[in-house]
Amino acid sequence: MSRFRSLWQASLDATKKALTWNVEDLMPPTERLIFNFSSREEVKKWHLYSDSEYGGLSSASLEIMDEGNGLKGVFSGNLSLDVAEGSRWNISRSGFCGMRSKKFDGFIDLDAYDTIALKLKGDGRSYISTIYTENWVNSPGQMEDNSWQAFVFVPKDNWYIAKIPLARYLPTWRGNVIDASMEMNPSRILGMSLSVNAGGGIPGARSGPGDFKVELDWIKAFRTQ
């Protein structure tokens, strides 16, 4: 092949790649799978937390189980308002548990999407969906990520797809809503969590101490517009 023809072919191949990249960039898929709980390996991507870290008596577990309809994630436990006797922590509230994903390798970019969806089956409680983004709201240099939260009502005993527009996630700091006008940067997402507390959240949802259980199939991002 002549030198001219080689250069022409290389230029043509580069143009094809550029056109392909541009089309995909301008028109990303309408949905993106973020977490899939159909594998026992999924447990390794999450860690649990509860008020027990501060002297509370709540407990939680995350297992991948087959309850008759294939492997699913089962986040369950017990919410307690009690505090361990002699605890050195002076916590102002107890009765909470959560599962938080380990940080992604870098960031996950969801800028092309406007909705988070979770396929789950629950117990009638209200849960909290949290998205963690790179720290820019709090003091620079802090290790604490920015958190954005929205309530999720999980109907009892039926599979349900909860769709939460990203615009509905509110900025929070240590569980309290930040009273300021801010927008999430969905292109710099570090992780996600799902939590529950005895205080409830959505009117009509089951609340108070006691057992909780929610089954998880997947978590996705959708583009609805």
Side-chain angles (χ1 to χ4, degrees):
M1 183 181 292
S2 67
R3 183 179 179 184
F4 174 79
R5 184 171 178 79
S6 297
L7 289 172
W8 176 82
Q9 187 63 49
S11 177
L12 180 61
D13 291 342
T15 301
K16 287 180 179 179
K17 287 183 179 180
L19 288 173
T20 302
W21 181 86
N22 286 333
V23 169
E24 292 178 349
D25 187 53
L26 292 172
M27 298 183 64
T30 56
E31 67 178 66
R32 175 175 177 175
L33 181 65
I34 304 173
F35 296 106
N36 187 349
F37 295 88
S38 63
S39 167
R40 300 191 190 280
E41 293 296 308
E42 188 67 22
V43 172
K44 298 178 182 179
K45 300 178 183 179
W46 300 82
H47 66 83
L48 300 168
Y49 62 91
S50 72
D51 57 35
S52 63
E53 299 173 27
Y54 309 100
L57 297 177
S58 298
S59 61
S61 66
L62 174 62
E63 302 174 276
I64 304 298
M65 303 173 63
D66 187 346
E67 299 199 343
N69 56 352
L71 293 176
K72 301 288 187 293
V74 180
F75 174 49
S76 62
N78 181 270
L79 300 173
S80 173
L81 300 179
D82 298 327
V83 177
E85 186 176 351
S87 171
R88 65 186 181 90
W89 299 96
N90 184 23
I91 58 176
S92 59
R93 59 181 178 179
S94 57
F96 65 86
C97 294
M99 49 179 279
R100 176 171 175 169
S101 68
K102 297 177 181 178
K103 285 191 175 183
F104 299 117
D105 184 15
F107 302 97
I108 180 173
D109 184 355
L110 298 181
D111 193 43
Y113 305 91
D114 55 48
T115 299
I116 295 295
L118 305 90
K119 185 177 180 182
L120 28 70
K121 181 171 74 171
D123 52 8
R125 286 187 181 272
S126 176
Y127 290 76
I128 301 172
S129 171
T130 304
I131 295 174
Y132 299 96
T133 59
E134 184 182 28
N135 188 325
W136 61 270
V137 174
N138 301 325
S139 301
Q142 285 189 0
M143 295 300 292
E144 192 171 357
D145 304 324
N146 293 149
S147 58
W148 308 77
Q149 297 184 322
F151 283 115
V152 184
F153 174 64
V154 186
K156 186 177 180 180
D157 298 333
N158 291 308
W159 282 102
Y160 171 73
I161 297 178
K163 294 184 178 181
I164 314 168
L166 289 178
R168 218 177 81 195
Y169 282 85
L170 300 177
T172 63
W173 186 70
R174 296 184 180 178
N176 297 309
V177 175
I178 299 174
D179 187 16
S181 178
M182 293 181 289
E183 291 186 5
M184 179 196 303
N185 181 0
S187 67
R188 308 285 280 185
I189 292 176
L190 297 169
M192 296 182 175
S193 73
L194 187 69
S195 59
V196 59
N197 66 70
I202 295 177
R206 177 188 164 203
S207 62
D211 294 340
F212 69 88
K213 177 181 177 181
V214 61
E215 294 179 56
L216 297 141
D217 192 352
W218 47 252
I219 300 175
K220 297 180 180 181
F222 280 86
R223 188 179 76 248
T224 62
Q225 300 177 355

